[in-house]
Amino acid sequence: MKRLSIILALILFTGVIFAQDHAGKTLPEVTVKTITGESFNTADIDNDGKPIIVSFWALWCHPCIKELTTIADVYEEWQEETGVKLYAISIDDARSTAKVGPLVNGKAWEYEVLLDPNGDFKRAMNVNMIPHTFVLDGNKNIVWQHTSFAEGAELDLIEIIEKVANGEDISGH
């Protein structure tokens, strides 16, 4: 009986590891909204074979807004260098989504901004805290992710994006 319990525990443990290992390798198909209220399937997130940044944020998250504002300052330069495209996914609830557009316009963010008011995409991506940023390669595989933001973190991010754009290994990051 003890052996059977151990074997079952190992099978369950292996299953959990397998699921975690494969979770988040590609984007799940979830319907979210555009900032104008149209439905958008996250499977349609694309950048013609170039790197993609998917950043989860919210109006109440000051580090999120600081990160996206910092990136906005260099975004045009990043796009010229690497062709990267950023999708900013607001996880604000339905009561707050009307405030997202004015903030985005006020900050002059040139990103694709999507709304996930029910948190479906957030849950599918296993996002537990924000800011949570994912980098996808040209084949839309998730190759890197991190949470939080600190001054200078954008330099690490562009280094990752440059390597992804050049097809270099980023396993050391």
Side-chain angles (χ1 to χ4, degrees):
M1 184 69 177
K2 190 173 182 180
R3 281 187 181 177
L4 181 60
S5 297
I6 291 172
I7 291 171
L8 285 173
L10 285 173
I11 290 171
L12 288 172
F13 181 71
T14 304
V16 169
I17 289 174
F18 181 81
Q20 288 178 345
D21 188 41
H22 288 84
K25 292 291 184 188
T26 59
L27 291 178
E29 291 187 31
V30 177
T31 300
V32 293
K33 296 281 185 189
T34 65
I35 206 162
T36 58
E38 299 165 18
S39 293
F40 182 90
N41 190 323
T42 56
D44 294 333
I45 289 177
D46 192 35
N47 191 21
D48 296 326
K50 297 174 185 159
I52 300 168
I53 301 170
V54 175
S55 180
F56 286 84
W57 70 285
L59 292 169
W60 49 264
C61 174
H62 295 289
C64 301
I65 292 172
K66 187 165 182 123
E67 177 180 45
L68 290 171
T69 301
T70 301
I71 293 172
D73 292 342
V74 292
Y75 188 55
E76 187 176 328
E77 185 179 315
W78 286 13
Q79 285 188 304
E80 289 173 12
E81 290 176 17
T82 65
V84 70
K85 185 173 186 176
L86 192 148
Y87 288 83
I89 315 296
S90 167
I91 63 166
D92 291 286
D93 63 21
R95 293 172 295 174
S96 302
T97 55
K99 298 175 186 169
V100 172
L103 179 102
V104 169
N105 291 334
K107 297 282 186 185
W109 292 348
E110 298 294 326
Y111 315 129
E112 296 289 334
V113 177
L114 300 172
L115 308 174
D116 185 26
N118 297 326
D120 296 336
F121 190 38
K122 180 184 91 167
R123 278 189 298 280
M125 294 289 286
N126 294 321
V127 171
N128 295 315
M129 61 182 290
I130 54 173
H132 194 136
T133 304
F134 296 86
V135 174
L136 286 63
D137 65 13
N139 295 318
K140 303 193 320 184
N141 296 309
I142 298 169
V143 295
W144 187 82
Q145 61 179 300
H146 82 115
T147 57
S148 76
F149 177 75
E151 294 286 335
E154 73 280 5
L155 301 175
D156 294 335
L157 182 59
I158 187 59
E159 183 180 322
I160 298 289
I161 293 166
E162 287 172 342
K163 287 184 176 185
V164 169
N166 294 326
E168 296 175 26
D169 180 31
I170 60 164
S171 58
H173 289 274

